[in-house]
Amino acid sequence: MLRSHLTLTITLLLFNSFLFTTSQQEEFIYSGFTSDGPSDVPLKLNGVSQIINDGILRLTNETSRQIGRAFYPMPLQFRSSDTGTAFSFSTAFAFAIVPEFKKLGGHGLAFTIAPSMEPNGALPSQYLGLLNSSDLGNRTNHMFAIELDTVQDFEFDDISDNHVGINLNSMVSNASANASYYGDDGTKFNLTLQSGNTIQAWVEYAGDQKLVTVSLSPFSSKPKKPTLSYSVDLSPIFMDKMYVGFSASTGLLASSHYIFGWSFKMNGAAKSLDLSSLPSLPKPKPKNTTLILAITLVFFAIVVVLAAIAGYIFYKIKTADIIEPWELNGPRRFSYGDLKRATRGFRDGNLLGLGGFGKVYKGVLPGSKTQVAVKRISHGSRQGLPEFVAEIASIGRLRHRNLVQLQGWCRRRNDLLLVYDYMPNGSLDGFLFCDVSASPEKKNRHLTWSQRFHILKGIASALLYLHEEWEHVVLHRDVKASNVLLDADFNGRLGDFGLAKLHEHGANPSTTRVVGTIGYLAPEMTRTGRATTGSDVFAFGAMVLEVVCGRRPIEPKAAPEEVVLIDWVRDRWAAGSWADVVDPKLEGDYNRNEVAVAIKVGLMCSHPDQAARPSMREVVRYLEGGDASAVPKVATPEQLRDYEKQSNVGFDNFVHSYPSSSFDKVSTWSSTMTTTGGNDGRSEVELGPDGYIPVSQLSHGSSVV
Ligand SMILES: *[C@@H]1O[C@H](CO)[C@@H](O)[C@H](O)[C@H]1NC(C)=O
Ligand SMILES: *[C@@H]1O[C@H](CO)[C@@H](O)[C@H](O)[C@H]1NC(C)=O
Ligand SMILES: *[C@@H]1O[C@H](CO)[C@@H](O)[C@H](O)[C@H]1NC(C)=O
Ligand SMILES: *[C@@H]1O[C@H](CO)[C@@H](O)[C@H](O)[C@H]1NC(C)=O
Ligand SMILES: *[C@@H]1O[C@H](CO)[C@@H](O)[C@H](O)[C@H]1NC(C)=O
Ligand SMILES: *[C@@H]1O[C@H](CO)[C@@H](O)[C@H](O)[C@H]1NC(C)=O
Ligand SMILES: *[C@@H]1O[C@H](CO)[C@@H](O)[C@H](O)[C@H]1NC(C)=O
C-alpha cells in the first residue's frame, strides 16, 4: 500500500513558485512502497533494488558486489537560489539489515542527498554506491550522506562495524557514532544494525543552527536525545536542486538491505513512522501441521534406520574385533578390512622390513590415500594382549616431532596391527651400514656428520620427552639404530616405543623375559630383568657410538679387541686416539668438537653403574651445547675395573646364567656377549633380521627371575 502524499495541493504548488520560493513545504510519506494508488509517486529504482512483496523496498539481496538505489523521482529545492543558503529538512525512515551469515554481512546503506540519482562511476562495497576511489572528498561531489555501516573500513577510519556516520563529499565520516539510542531518561542502549530487526532513523538539518542530527531507535517515536549531531553549514555541500533517496551496496560480505517506510519534509518536522503499521519481513515459513507430521515421520524413520545400522555395526565389532572401553580417547581404531586393502592383502611386495616384533608393510589408506606403515605383530597367546593394547593406545597419545606417530591400531584374534606414519627414508641403520662401494646408487645413502649429529639430538629429545616430559614415564626398552627412522627431511624419529613390553608379558607371570638387543642391554637389566630409564640411557649411549663409528655394537667379524664397540672406543678414548674409531665413511669430514661430545656422551651413557649415567636431560644439554669441554670426564678403563671389583657383580654372573657354549668370552663391562669362541674366533651366532643379535639368541637362559 502506497500512501504517499504531496501535502501541497495543485493550487499551492502553483502559488508556490510565486510565493514560497525561499521556503518550500514539500512533504511525503511512504508507509510501504506499493505503487497502486493513482496519486502515488513511485520511487526511481536502479541497480539491484526492487520493491518486493507487501511493498518492501529491498535495496540489495545477498549477492556480492552489488549496488541498489532508490530515489524520490523529482529533484527537490534544498538551497535558496537567491541566497545560496541550505534549507532545513527532516526525514524518518525504517530499515532492516539482514546479513548473509549471522553477524557477517556488508556493507551498509545510506540516506543520501546527491546531485544525481545515478552517480557516475560509483562503486559498491565500502563506497555504498555513492562515490568512487578517485572522487573521494572532492567538493564537486555535492554529496550528503548518513551511512549505516556494518563493515569497519580502516581506509575510511571507521570506528567499528556497527556505526552511523555523517559523510560530506567523502566516505570518511565527518562525525560518527556506534549504533545506539537514548531512552527518555538519557540511558544509552546499544543497537545492532545488522540484527535483522526494524530500526527507525531520523535525520534532521536545522538551517538556522547549522546542525545535523541523527537519531536511531527500534521504536516508533523519536528519542529526545540524538545518537549523533554535527555542526556544519550544508550550504556549500548542496546545490540548489538535489535528489534524495537511499543507496546500499554489498561487497564480499553481503546483506539484504530493506526500507519499509519513509517520511520526508522540507522546512519542517517529518512525521515519525508507526513501525507497527509498516510491512514487515516475511517470517520464517508458517508451520504447516501436515508438513510437521511428515517431517516427524521421516525423522523417526531415519532414527530407526540409524539405530539398526548402529546395532549391526556394534554387533560386527563385538564379534570381529574386540572393543575396548578406553578406545574413544586413544589413537584411532582401524578396520581390519581397511588395513588389508591398504597393504594389498599384506603382500610381500609391500613389505618394508622385518622389525624386532613383526613384519612391517607399506600401505596406502583407502579414502584419505595417506601412506602408512603397518606393523603386524603376531602374539602367541591372547594372554596379556588386552592390557597391552590399552597401553599402546595410551602411548599413541604421545606427540613429539622425533617420535614416529602411532596413528591407530587394529586387533584381530591374536594379531595386533599398528599403523604408523610412513617414513620415506627408512631406518638409520640402513644408512649407517650400507656398503657405499657396492653400487653408485647407494652413494646417496650416506649421512654426513651434521646429519648424524642432528639425528642424535632429535632422538635424545624424544627420549627426554618419554622419560620426563609426558604424563608418566614411558620406557622405550629397545633403543637402537634400526628403531630410528628418518623422515623426508632426515629428522630422526624414534619408533617402536613401548613395544618391547609386549614381549615381557611372558606366559609365566613369575618370570620376566629380557627383551632387547645384545650390545644395547644395560648390565643391570640382565641381572634384574627390569627396564629403567637408566637402561634406555645405556642403549642410547650404545647407539651414539654406533652412529659415530658406523658399525654395530657387537661385530663378530671384527678383530678381537674391536668386537665390542664400547670397549674399543673406551680404550681409544683413554689412549687419546679416538679419531681411529670415527666412521671411515665420513672420510675425515666432521666437526671434531661435536664428534668428541658424541663419544663422551656415548661412553658416559654406557657406564656399567646405572647411577653414574647421565639423565636424558643432561644428555640433551651436552649435545645441544656441542662443547666437548662442557661434558664431564668419562671413566677410564681402569676405573671401571675397580668398580667391577668393588661391586662384585661381574659380568660372569650374567654369563653363568647362560650356559650356551657359543658364548664363551664375555667382554668386561660391556654387558654384552661376544661371539669370538670356537677355533677360528668366529661364532655360529645368528643375526636378527635387522643385523643385530637379539636376546632370543640366549633363548633357554634368558628368563631372569
Ligand atoms: C539477488 O537478486 C538477483 C536479481 O533479482 C538474483 O539474480 C539473485 O539470484 C539474487 N540473489 C540471491 C542470493 O537471492
Ligand atoms: C568517479 O566518479 C566521477 C564522478 O563523481 C567520475 O567522473 C569518474 O569517472 C569516476 N571514476 C571512476 C574510476 O569510475
Ligand atoms: C574534483 O572533480 C573535478 C571534476 O570531477 C576535477 O576536475 C577535479 O580535478 C577534482 N579535484 C580533485 C582535488 O580531485
Ligand atoms: C568534513 O566536511 C568538510 C566539508 O564541510 C570537509 O571539507 C572536511 O574534509 C570533512 N572533514 C572530515 C574529517 O572528513
Ligand atoms: C564502538 O564500538 C567498538 C566495539 O564495537 C568499540 O571498540 C569502540 O570503542 C566504540 N567507539 C565509540 C566511539 O564508542
Ligand atoms: C554497548 O557497546 C559498548 C561498545 O561496544 C560496550 O562497551 C558496552 O558494554 C555495550 N553496552 C551494553 C549494555 O551492551
Ligand atoms: C629421502 O626421502 C625423500 C622424500 O621421500 C626423497 O626425496 C629422498 O630421495 C630420500 N633420500 C634418500 C637418500 O633416500
Side-chain angles (χ1 to χ4, degrees), residues 137 139 157 166-175 230-234 236-237:
R139 304 164 155 273
D157 303 329
I166 299 171
N167 296 6
L168 302 175
N169 292 336
S170 172
M171 294 312 294
V172 181
S173 300
N174 284 68
Y230 180 60
S231 290
V232 62
D233 181 3
L234 292 181
I237 305 295

Side-chain angles (χ1 to χ4, degrees), residues 287-302:
K287 286 173 185 149
N288 178 325
T289 46
T290 57
L291 191 66
I292 289 175
L293 191 68
I295 290 174
T296 315
L297 284 176
V298 169
F299 177 76
F300 272 105
I302 290 173

Side-chain angles (χ1 to χ4, degrees), residues 384-412:
L385 199 57
E387 295 83 358
F388 175 71
V389 170
E391 185 161 334
I392 287 295
S394 134
I395 281 171
R397 290 189 288 122
L398 292 163
R399 291 279 182 286
H400 189 278
R401 65 184 182 286
N402 294 108
L403 290 179
V404 180
Q405 187 61 48
L406 178 67
Q407 289 198 5
W409 57 281
C410 166
R411 189 184 144 199
R412 171 174 259 230

Side-chain angles (χ1 to χ4, degrees), residues 151-206:
V151 175
Q152 184 167 18
D153 298 302
F154 293 97
E155 63 176 303
F156 300 147
D157 303 329
D158 284 354
I159 58 165
S160 72
D161 59 359
N162 183 45
H163 65 272
V164 52
I166 299 171
N167 296 6
L168 302 175
N169 292 336
S170 172
M171 294 312 294
V172 181
S173 300
N174 284 68
S176 60
N178 282 331
S180 59
Y181 69 99
Y182 290 92
D184 286 346
D185 58 353
T187 324
K188 188 174 177 179
F189 298 95
N190 290 340
L191 272 177
T192 303
L193 294 176
Q194 51 182 332
S195 63
N197 298 328
T198 304
I199 297 172
Q200 185 161 196
W202 292 262
V203 178
E204 299 182 310
Y205 175 64

